[in-house]
Amino acid sequence: MQISDLPYPDPGVPDARSGPRFLLWLGRGQLGGQARSLCWGLVHFGGIAGLPYSVGSGVGAVVERDGAGLLRAGALLLLTGVAISVGDAMLHRTAVTNWITAAARVQQLLARKTAELGSALTRRVAAGEVVAVSTGDVEKIGWFVEAVSRFLAAACAIVAICVGLLFLAPSIGVVVAVGVPVLALSVLPLLPHATRRADVQRDKAGKATELASDTVAGLRVLRGIGGEELFLGRYREASQQVRAAAVRSAGMWALIAAVQVLLPGVLLVTVVWYGASLVQEGRLEVGELVAAFSAVATMLYPLRSVEEIAMAYSFSRPSAQRAARVLSLTRTGPGPADAGREGAGRQGEGSPDPVGDLHDPATGLVAPAGRLTAVVCGDPDAAGRLAERLGGHPADAGGEDGDASGGVPVLLGGVALDGLPLDTARRLVLVQDKDPVLLSGTLRELFDVPSSGKVEPSAALAAAHCGDVLDALLQAAPDGVDDPMDARITERGRSLSGGQRQRLALARSLAADPEVLVLDEPTSAVDSHTEARVAEGIAALRAGRTTVVLASSPLLLDRADHVVLVDGGTVAAAGTHRELLRREPRYRAVVTRETEEEQRVARLGPARLGNELTGIEESA
């Protein structure tokens, strides 16, 4: 795989059982690139291994006044120089290619997993953790993959130098053969400490970044309540913690760097001192001493690759473990989900799309096909979980945070949603959560989403009552932009109000025109007049299509064909909005925000309540 071939047509199915297994799987997927990098590494480090012999031969030829030998040494020195330079250039090229392609594969896998799980991902793994895995951890994993081939080539060069010294100068060769493993292993005891300190720094930096992101996202609200200084103080404190952790981490790496300089220097001094004594005794030629000195000096360079691979693995192993934990997540949990799926039926490739009612066996909710169904939940968090489950993202088996689903899949036309191919499930059911995201770009790009093609963006914008949004975008657009569809939206739509962002996201969902549209509080940030217009627009545009709205607004509920009250994780009542207001106190309490005293008055009636009050006064 070359960089020009990215992205991968299919990044594959990773072995996410553990961090080391994931690294091994990545390595197996890049055998060709690793082989090319290893070959160029052997050329590069082979030239380095031959350099001491060339220098020693040249010095020996000068001492012996051997002109032919000097020419041979010069030719060999030229050859090793070419090998070093060409090999280094190509090794760097192929190794960086391995790095980039490995990082790209991991990022594609993470992007695919994010698309598969949707917002269920951030319920299982913190959003900051996902961002950290897809940025810093991906870099560390790519670093290890890139360093493997360079380490193997360097190890071959070190072995070749040691073997050559044993033949050229056995006495010095023994000293070097004993000292090299000590140099290679000297930093290993320090690496776990350095890794732990680096992990602490990473965690604190991640928390500081998350705090900064949340502060920026809520800056308008903070200014409104005067909370800027409070959050600024929190960020200063988090920033100082990151600085202190970075200093501690840098101190350990400084110690490792000092060891890497000190011990090779000790070995080099030892070789020179011992070799000089051998020359004085006549047991070693001057050229052989120069060759031995050059060999030890040049061996320090490939030894860095040994230390690098140890550092790369120490950093990449926890990073790979975190990536594997994210990649091992599935759309469904084990256990009860399997049992529920057996009776629900599955949808194979090539089968027609299921049609019919949307049914959640866990709560008993049934959304009739082709009708607008409103669902009322007293708990907003429970409503959010229900919306996700209706979109084919069931909670983990056994329930979560009071969720009684137990992993039972939602059915569409009798077919389990989580048994459908992912693209089919996404095409059939679209869930818009209560905090939708708008990406930066033009309004036309915002509506460039997979859709049936039956609903034009203009119709969706009109249904969502976005006239004032279009005017605001045109006013902020540069001169020459006359079409609102060409106006640009800032990142996350920060230049728009919360209600304007909410209506634009609703229009995008309406334009997609899925078979089933699930809306979680689509009008919570708009005023009553606008909400009434939006409710009419949804009902008109989605006529004949299955729509589920989770809301407690009477304006939306009154437009629904069917209203369901979910209380305690199950369906408690169903009917029209007006029917439920008359006969269901729990529904009335949620929709009208009645207090407990008001509910009591409604239950007892004025006459009976007056009798109770009279009895209390008499007893007093």
Side-chain angles (χ1 to χ4, degrees):
M1 170 65 80
Q2 297 297 320
I3 297 177
S4 58
D5 299 326
L6 294 176
Y8 285 90
D10 180 12
V13 180
D15 185 349
R17 289 176 290 177
S18 66
R21 288 179 182 272
F22 180 62
L23 291 174
L24 181 61
W25 176 83
L26 274 179
R28 286 202 305 266
Q30 289 191 311
L31 291 179
Q34 294 288 354
R36 286 191 294 272
S37 184
L38 177 60
C39 290
W40 287 113
L42 290 174
V43 172
H44 173 61
F45 287 107
I48 292 176
L51 187 61
Y53 179 74
S54 304
V55 174
S57 300
V59 172
V62 171
V63 172
E64 298 175 1
R65 300 183 180 278
D66 182 2
L70 185 60
L71 288 176
R72 287 194 299 270
L76 185 58
L77 191 61
L78 176 63
L79 180 61
T80 55
V82 172
I84 291 172
S85 58
V86 174
D88 186 29
M90 297 306 298
L91 172 61
H92 178 74
R93 179 184 179 89
T94 53
V96 170
T97 298
N98 289 336
W99 183 341
I100 293 175
T101 52
R105 185 191 293 270
V106 178
Q107 286 179 327
Q108 282 187 247
L109 290 170
L110 291 170
R112 186 174 67 180
K113 182 60 64 175
T114 302
E116 176 186 342
L117 296 177
S119 61
L121 174 62
T122 54
R123 290 206 304 270
R124 303 183 189 183
V125 182
E129 182 75 7
V130 176
V131 173
V133 170
S134 61
T135 53
D137 286 337
V138 165
E139 291 293 319
K140 293 181 178 67
I141 292 170
W143 177 27
F144 174 73
V145 172
E146 177 256 350
V148 167
S149 55
R150 186 163 54 247
F151 160 71
L152 293 175
C156 292
I158 292 171
V159 172
I161 292 174
C162 290
V163 171
L165 279 177
L166 287 173
F167 283 99
L168 180 66
S171 301
I172 295 181
V174 171
V175 174
V176 174
V178 172
V180 165
V182 174
L183 293 180
L185 302 176
S186 60
V187 298
L188 292 184
L190 300 176
L191 286 176
H193 301 285
T195 303
R196 282 195 295 270
R197 292 190 181 186
D199 285 342
V200 170
Q201 178 192 356
R202 172 189 172 277
D203 292 339
K204 291 186 178 298
K207 291 177 181 178
T209 302
E210 190 171 350
L211 177 61
S213 177
D214 292 343
T215 302
V216 171
L219 191 58
R220 179 179 296 180
V221 177
L222 290 176
R223 286 175 175 170
I225 63 176
E228 296 160 282
E229 287 300 323
L230 173 62
F231 275 78
L232 183 59
R234 290 181 180 177
Y235 182 75
R236 284 198 186 103
E237 181 181 354
S239 178
Q240 289 303 311
Q241 291 177 357
V242 174
R243 183 194 62 79
V247 171
R248 285 175 51 82
S249 178
M252 182 57 68
W253 289 115
L255 177 60
I256 291 175
V259 171
Q260 292 173 347
V261 172
L262 176 63
L263 293 184
V266 171
L267 177 61
L268 191 59
V269 170
T270 301
V271 168
V272 172
W273 173 79
Y274 183 54
S277 64
L278 293 178
V279 171
Q280 287 180 343
E281 296 173 4
R283 297 165 54 188
L284 190 69
E285 299 293 335
V286 174
E288 293 173 341
L289 174 60
V290 173
F293 171 80
S294 301
V296 175
T298 55
M299 198 181 346
L300 300 182
Y301 173 65
L303 272 174
R304 294 178 186 173
S305 296
V306 179
E307 296 159 356
E308 180 192 17
I309 195 67
M311 294 170 58
Y313 182 73
S314 297
F315 275 102
S316 65
R317 185 179 56 79
S319 295
Q321 186 65 44
R322 287 186 286 264
R325 184 161 66 92
V326 174
L327 295 175
S328 64
L329 299 175
T330 59
R331 291 173 62 193
T332 58
D338 299 329
R341 204 177 293 115
E342 289 176 2
R346 295 184 67 86
Q347 188 83 353
E349 294 288 346
S351 302
D353 293 341
V355 293
D357 298 344
L358 184 67
H359 178 212
D360 178 20
T363 60
L365 172 65
V366 176
R371 301 181 68 187
L372 174 58
T373 301
V375 181
V376 176
C377 294
D379 181 5
D381 292 334
R385 292 194 296 270
L386 177 58
E388 289 299 322
R389 195 162 64 249
L390 293 177
H393 294 297
D396 293 338
E400 175 185 9
D401 300 331
D403 187 4
S405 70
V408 179
V410 171
L411 311 178
L412 177 61
V415 177
L417 271 183
D418 59 358
L420 293 171
L422 184 60
D423 57 345
T424 302
R426 292 290 178 272
R427 186 179 71 252
L428 292 175
V429 182
L430 173 63
V431 177
Q432 176 181 301
D433 60 25
K434 58 171 61 80
D435 188 22
V437 175
L438 301 180
L439 301 179
S440 59
T442 65
L443 191 59
R444 194 182 309 279
E445 292 170 340
L446 179 70
F447 281 87
D448 186 15
V449 295
S451 66
S452 66
K454 298 178 182 179
V455 178
E456 294 294 328
S458 57
L461 288 166
H465 197 58
C466 292
D468 62 317
V469 185
L470 301 181
D471 293 340
L473 290 174
L474 271 181
Q475 287 180 357
D479 295 338
V481 177
D482 300 324
D483 188 349
M485 298 301 290
D486 294 326
R488 294 195 65 83
I489 301 173
T490 57
E491 181 186 3
R492 292 180 175 267
R494 299 192 193 280
S495 61
L496 303 173
S497 68
Q500 290 174 327
R501 289 196 300 269
Q502 196 173 54
R503 281 178 284 151
L504 271 185
L506 173 61
R508 178 180 58 186
S509 299
L510 294 173
D513 191 36
E515 183 68 27
V516 178
L517 178 60
V518 180
L519 303 171
D520 185 9
E521 294 288 356
T523 58
S524 59
V526 300
D527 59 78
S528 300
H529 174 72
T530 305
E531 186 177 32
R533 301 284 298 274
V534 171
E536 293 175 1
I538 294 175
L541 193 64
R542 293 289 299 174
R545 307 287 269 173
T546 306
T547 308
V548 180
V549 180
L550 289 97
S552 58
S553 166
L555 294 172
L556 276 173
L557 298 174
D558 196 39
R559 298 293 306 182
D561 302 317
H562 181 61
V563 181
V564 178
L565 171 65
V566 176
D567 185 40
T570 58
V571 171
T576 65
H577 170 58
R578 299 177 187 273
E579 291 172 353
L580 292 177
L581 277 178
R582 286 195 303 269
R583 62 180 173 85
E584 183 52 59
R586 288 173 295 180
Y587 178 84
R588 187 167 55 250
V590 175
V591 173
T592 63
R593 275 69 170 178
E594 285 183 349
T595 64
E596 293 184 3
E597 184 61 28
E598 290 171 336
Q599 295 179 46
R600 181 167 172 268
V601 171
R603 286 197 306 270
L604 294 177
R608 186 174 173 187
L609 182 63
N611 293 336
E612 285 193 5
L613 293 175
T614 301
I616 293 172
E617 290 175 355
E618 291 177 352
S619 62

